[in-house]
């Protein structure tokens, strides 16, 4: 009731008096503890104190970061879920260790270095120059004081200096760069067959006792995770729309305040004909594609129908539509294409334009100049936006009022009935299952699971609606009896035996092949249909297989003299028997062009590995004494 009263009269004299009284009570009753807490000692790291002030600030920063991440789904219970108190202290301990070691080896960060780093941040620049007003505005928006941000920059720079120091005597040789690049970019092609368990299911047979034995052997797999049953109240802004009227003055004011929303960038309508150039195409291949493109360009400039030319010659996905790109504005196309198109007039045909996709011929059909949409054009959408905003405000206010007036020990269902609000109740669900009727939000489930039975959540916003949740009951994880999961166990056993049959058949086939059997002959006799992959890199999924554990690594050890791996490979679809088809090395020209990026990548990997190991060593050797419970 008190909070509801305060919201309704936030600017009144009564509330100012109440706030003054509360402030006086806090000063007299809690002043001493506040002052003493400033001098509290949280921990000592190698003889250096971590004070209560430092700890509370680090903790508060973590909480605020998580609040921004969770937004309207934030709940204080998440503090314990994410162990923020201990994480904040560990962060401070690491900072102390970092600082101590930096001092020991003579490293530091100057004010000039901090200033230079901040001034180079793109977010703080306007027209290519540092803008202090923008700097302070960005920090204020993120509720961060300049001195706090500067201290963060100091820590980042110090960490970078230490990383560079650790790897200063570990330069990356050309051999290392080539080895790293080859590892990432060598390609292979395979043939393979898949033996699917489903093909063996009809032949599976077992005694009923086998189900019980299988269950006992795999009982832990059937452990039922912790579950909760909840009830909740949903306040939907749609319920308030019929009550809302928007005046012409409100529409006009909204239009003026949000004028940038109604500025429309220049748009053009164009068609194009694409002649693809493969990424690894030779110079001769590129010249051949360009010659073909110029022949078609000549036809277009002589007046042949551009749309028909696109249907005949284009290699792009819009070929059947005559290369029609529709209207587009700047920022939607690749750079060279966009640069050429936006310099053209309606009816003009471009010269050949080269992009990473190949050669394009562009024809601009229509141009819409940049403009600001007038109020008359956007009046209806503004009215709808204002009605939705007002409805959301009223729904939120109603949810807050229900929360404010709620007794401490409440049955949400009874309370909702008393206030003429619908209350829904779920069946039991786990952390991995969607909440019935509320599909697809992990954060919402995390908040609800953080509640104790009987506790009611804060007002939570999800999918533009507002909710109050109460946990009705919690079931701890438990191992079920066979009767509870009998059908599932029987189904799993059937599939298990089918997979064993598929595995055995795949391993027999591979053994025959490795012992000199002919690939085509053995595959034909097994009644299987082989597939051939495209060339793929070590980190790429293989079409029709995806990612079978160990497959990519094994393939890149194969060659013409040893085309078969030592094992079959398993994924959800079954067991794959693989035969090496071909390999190709790196593109030497591409390697030379990308060498600076490769050098940076190798250096970063070394930095990260060395720095992490170094920090772990510091933690193990440190003398850390925690002086108060968190």
């Amino acid at each position: 009731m008190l909070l509801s009263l305060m919201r309704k009269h936030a600017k009144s004299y009564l509330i100012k008096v109440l706030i003054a009284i509360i402030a006086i009570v806090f000063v007299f009753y809690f002043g001493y503890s506040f002052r003493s807490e400033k001098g509290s000692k949280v921990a000592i790291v190698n003889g250096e104190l971590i004070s209560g002030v430092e700890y509370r600030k680090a903790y508060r920063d973590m909480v605020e970061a998580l609040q921004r991440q969770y937004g309207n789904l934030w709940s204080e219970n998440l503090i314990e879920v994410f162990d923020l108190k201990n994480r904040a202290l560990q962060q401070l301990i690491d900072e102390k260790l970092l600082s101590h070691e930096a001092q020991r080896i003579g490293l530091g960060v100057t004010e000039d270095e901090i200033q230079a780093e901040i001034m180079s941040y793109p977010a703080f620049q306007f027209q290519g120059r540092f803008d202090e007003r923008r700097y302070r505005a960005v920090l204020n928006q993120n509720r961060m004081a300049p001195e706090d941000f500067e201290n963060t920059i100091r820590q980042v720079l110090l960490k970078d200096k230490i990383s560079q120091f650790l790897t200063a005597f570990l330069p990356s040789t050309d051999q290392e760069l080539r080895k790293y690049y080859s590892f990432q970019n060598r390609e292979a092609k395979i043939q393979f067959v898949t033996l699917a368990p489903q093909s063996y299911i009809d032949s599976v047979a077992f005694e009923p006792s086998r189900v019980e034995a299988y269950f006992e052997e795999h009982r832990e797999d059937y452990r039922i995770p912790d579950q909760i049953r909840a009830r909740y109240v949903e306040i939907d802004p749609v319920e308030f729309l019929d009550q809302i009227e928007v005046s012409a003055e409100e529409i006009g004011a909204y239009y003026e305040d949000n004028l940038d929303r109604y500025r429309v960038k220049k748009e053009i309508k164009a068609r194009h004909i694409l002649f693809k150039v493969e990424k690894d195409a030779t110079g001769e291949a590129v010249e051949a594609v360009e010659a073909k493109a110029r022949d078609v360009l000549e036809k277009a400039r002589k007046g042949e129908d551009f749309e028909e030319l696109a249907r005949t010659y284009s290699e792009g996905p819009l070929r059947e539509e005559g290369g029609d790109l529709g209207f587009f504005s700047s920022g939607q196309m690749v750079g060279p294409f966009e640069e050429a198109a936006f310099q053209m007039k309606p009816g003009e045909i471009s010269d050949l334009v080269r992009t990473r996709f190949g050669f394009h011929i562009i024809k601009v059909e229509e141009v819409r100049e940049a403009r600001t949409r007038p109020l008359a054009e956007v009046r209806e959408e503004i009215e709808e936006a204002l009605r939705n905003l007002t409805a959301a405000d009223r729904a939120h206010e109603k949810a807050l009022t229900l929360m404010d007036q709620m007794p401490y020990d409440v049955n949400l269902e009874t309370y909702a009935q008393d206030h003429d609000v619908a209350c829904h109740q779920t069946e039991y669900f786990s952390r991995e299952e969607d909440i019935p009727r509320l599909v697809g939000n992990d954060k919402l489930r995390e908040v609800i699971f953080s509640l104790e039975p009987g506790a009611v959540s804060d007002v939570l916003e999800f999918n533009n609606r507002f909710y109050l949740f109460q946990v009705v009951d919690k079931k701890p994880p438990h191992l079920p009896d066979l009767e509870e999961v009998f059908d599932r166990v029987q189904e799993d056993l059937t599939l298990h035996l089918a997979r064993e049959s598929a595995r055995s058949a795949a391993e027999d086939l591979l053994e025959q092949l490795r012992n000199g059997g002919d690939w085509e002959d053995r595959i034909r006799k097994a009644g299987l249909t082989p597939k051939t992959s495209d060339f793929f890199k070590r980190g790429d999924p293989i079409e029709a297989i995806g990612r079978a554990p160990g497959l990519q690594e094994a393939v890149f050890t194969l060659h013409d003299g040893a085309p078969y791996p030592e094992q079959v490979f398993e994924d959800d679809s079954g067991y794959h028997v693989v035969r090496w088809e071909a390999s190709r090395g790196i593109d030497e020209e591409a390697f030379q062009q990308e060498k600076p990026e490769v050098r940076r990548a190798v250096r970063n990997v070394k930095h990260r590995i060395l720095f992490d190991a170094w920090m772990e060593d510091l933690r193990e050797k440190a003398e850390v004494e925690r002086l108060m419970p968190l």
Side-chain angles (χ1 to χ4, degrees), residues 235-249:
I235 309 297
D236 190 342
V238 171
E239 299 170 9
F240 297 85
L241 285 174
D242 293 342
Q243 309 167 19
I244 297 168
E245 293 184 2
V246 179
S247 68
E249 291 77 11

Side-chain angles (χ1 to χ4, degrees), residues 22 38 135 153 187 191 221-222 256 329 407 415-416 422 443 487 490 504 510 514 539 603 628:
I22 292 170
K38 290 182 179 179
Y135 168 62
I153 295 299
E187 294 181 312
Q191 282 193 328
D221 295 342
Y222 298 94
E256 293 297 331
S329 59
Y415 181 75
K443 292 177 180 177
D487 290 343
Q490 184 170 258
S504 178
L510 177 61
R514 285 176 59 83
R603 186 182 64 229
M628 59 182 291

Side-chain angles (χ1 to χ4, degrees), residues 1-8 396-408 415 419 456-459 468:
M1 291 292 289
L2 177 60
L3 291 176
S4 181
L5 178 68
M6 291 176 72
R7 277 202 311 277
K8 293 178 181 177
H396 190 210
E397 180 65 25
K398 181 172 181 178
L400 287 171
T401 301
L402 286 171
M403 185 74 200
D404 294 346
Q405 297 175 353
M406 190 179 295
Y408 175 74
Y415 181 75
H419 289 77
V456 179
S457 71
D458 296 327
V459 174
L468 293 171

